[in-house]
Structures are given as C-alpha cells and as structure tokens.
Amino acid sequence: MHSFDLGAPLEVEHALALKLDAYDEGKTRRSSARLQIAEELVQLKQQNPRRGQLLITPKGLTHPSSQWKTLLESTYQQAGFTLTVDAQTGYWFAGRGQNQHAGSDVIALKAPYLPRTHREYQLAALFPSDAAARTELHQHLEATEYLQLLHRGRQHRTYLTGTPRVIVADAQRLNSPSLARWVQVRPYQTSLHFVRGSQSPRWRDATQAIAQDLLDVLGGVPRHALIGAGLVQAHHSSTNTPHLIQGLKRLAAPLPPSAALHQAVLKREQWAYRDLETAKDTHAKAEREVMKRLGLQEFKMPGRGQPIVYATDLPAAQRAYVQFKAQVAGSAVSPTKGETDPQTVGGALASTAEYTQ
C-alpha cells in the first residue's frame, strides 16, 4: 500500500485576536475592531517587507465591494503598501495545487466552514444511517481543507526572505487527532494592544505610539503631553491645553514626518488615529497598562495638582518634566544636558511656567 508523508510538521501560530467574523460586514460598531486587525496585518508586513502575504477569509470578504476589502486596501495604502502586490487575498476551497504563494506568510483570519447540508445530505450517500460517521467525516474534511491551504506558503522550503509564517485566528480544527502529527501550534504575539470587548480598541495603540516618541525625545512621558495630543482628558479644568499643544508642536517639528507625534500634532489629517475620541478618566487603567508595557512607572511632580510623568526612574521623570515645561513656556532645554542634580532640577521646576495658567 502506498502512503504519503507530509514531512516535518507545519509550524502554526494561533492569534485569536485576529479572528474575522463575516457577519460583521457592514456593521459600523465593529469597524474599529476590524481596522485594528488590518493594522496588525500591516505591522506584520513591515517586519519583513520583502515577504509576501496571503490573507485567507471567506469568499465574500474578498469581493472588491466588501467593506473588509475596502478597509484592507486603505490601511495598506496608508502604510505605503499595495494590496494585490504586497499582499494577496484568498478564500477557502479554491486554488489547490498553486505555487504562486510559495515563500509568503499565510494568515487565516477565519477557519474553513462546510455547511450543514454537506453533512446531512451529501455525506448521507456514504453513511445514510450513521449520523456520528457523517459528523466525523464532515469535521475531518474541514480540518484537512484547513491544513492543505495553510501549506500554500510552502513553509518547508528555503527562501532568501526567511521561513514564511503561518498564522491562524482559529486553531480548534487543527487540534483534530487526525492532524496531530502534522501540525505544531504555538501562541502568536500581537504587535498591537487587543482587548476583548473594548469600546475603543485602537486607543492603546495610539497612546503607545505617542508615548514612545515622547520617551525617545524627553526620556519620559508627561501626562500633560498626552492631554495636548488629545488622547486623555485633563484632571483640572484650568489646564491650558492650547499651550500644551504649542509645546508639543515644538517637540514634534524636528521629528521625521512618519513619527506618530509629528503626525498627531502637525499633520493630524494624515495620522492613522485621527478619528479617535479623547479618553475619559475611565481609561486610567488602560493608560497605566500602556505605560507598563513600555517599562515605565508613574511619578508625581511638585506643582499644582502634582502633574504625572511616566518614566523609568525619578531623575528621568524630573528631566522630562523640566524639558516639556520649557517647550510649553517657549524656551528650549537641551535633552542632552538632562540635569540630574536635585537642586538644579528643583530650580528649573520653579523657574519655568506652570502647565496650568
């Protein structure tokens, strides 16, 4: 009897956060969550721009008029990529045996699905009186369809762009006993913040992007800078937001146009997160989660309302505080000189204008 050996098991990464529901098509309440999925796919593409992508969904979502396809095209375009050139869309139960996607990352945003009529009617020709056998074969066919299309990237070959990745949003069918020896599944680590049930799923991503730029420039993240960027609300009504915005513009001006801070305050219409609403105080927990992910702690500075600065340590927080206050006041303090002497810092804190006027 002849047998076929698939060779080494397929290395698969499980990314539940990327699960795409075809029933969300046309529903505005899910548009932000879907946009975040598209942005994660772009992040994955940016990690290896030379490697292709095959994005697998149900057939309806590959149609040019679908909401998902339109969203995907605009998201890739904003990042400088072109759908159909840098990434391809595909669907289940089609294109078997093709090698055009060899070397590409394969991302399955939904598992293949066979309708109930397939189980109850078509398979009845084989098992007319055995419902359990029909169910078992039905599930096996779904699982093998999953596996054969995930092999589209030809992962086991050698490529100049490295080993292609296989990422699935639903790994349940791959856990079928009949496939155990052919698949190895491990968790996928997302680049963006995915929080189940979030009312503003992309807020954490926007906040981290701005915070990272502030950290690079100042060595810390003054919370008032997040207020000026329109991400969080001020705790006090006396906060002079226009002054904060002007200070941010001075900080952002030398940064490259692609920097999040530059786009957020100088070219808002080009910023990917321009449509986000300012977070209420209920986002305080989310704010701290973002800062913790960046390895930062919360420090309270002297002054009215004890302004918060996130930094790795107190001296770094003090330097960031002084430098941002100087930008708000319209005078520059060189980040390279970062005073660490407590008396010098104390004098700087006392001499520059307060955030709240």
Side-chain angles (χ1 to χ4, degrees), residues 315-336:
Q318 291 173 327
R319 289 193 297 270
Y321 182 56
V322 169
Q323 290 158 19
F324 185 59
K325 288 189 71 174
Q327 295 291 342
V328 173
S331 60
V333 175
S334 172
T336 59

Side-chain angles (χ1 to χ4, degrees), residues 111-134:
Y113 167 78
L114 285 169
R116 185 182 301 175
T117 53
H118 173 269
R119 182 186 66 204
E120 300 300 332
Y121 295 97
Q122 291 176 265
L123 296 184
L126 297 175
F127 305 105
S129 304
D130 193 339
R134 290 197 299 270

Side-chain angles (χ1 to χ4, degrees), residues 72 100 127 130 177 213 240 310 314-315 322 333 353:
L72 202 59
Q100 68 186 86
F127 305 105
D130 193 339
D213 282 350
N240 195 328
Y310 297 99
L314 180 58
V322 169
V333 175

Side-chain angles (χ1 to χ4, degrees), residues 155-201:
Q155 187 185 75
H156 298 135
R157 296 181 185 174
T158 302
Y159 304 95
L160 294 176
T161 55
T163 303
R165 299 169 70 176
V166 176
I167 301 167
V168 302
D170 186 347
Q172 182 176 356
R173 285 180 177 83
L174 296 179
N175 293 325
S176 168
S178 62
L179 300 183
R181 60 180 295 198
W182 310 123
V183 182
Q184 288 185 353
V185 181
R186 67 176 186 273
Y188 168 81
Q189 181 62 52
T190 61
S191 298
L192 302 179
H193 295 254
F194 285 85
V195 178
R196 188 178 180 86
S198 174
Q199 297 299 310
S200 184

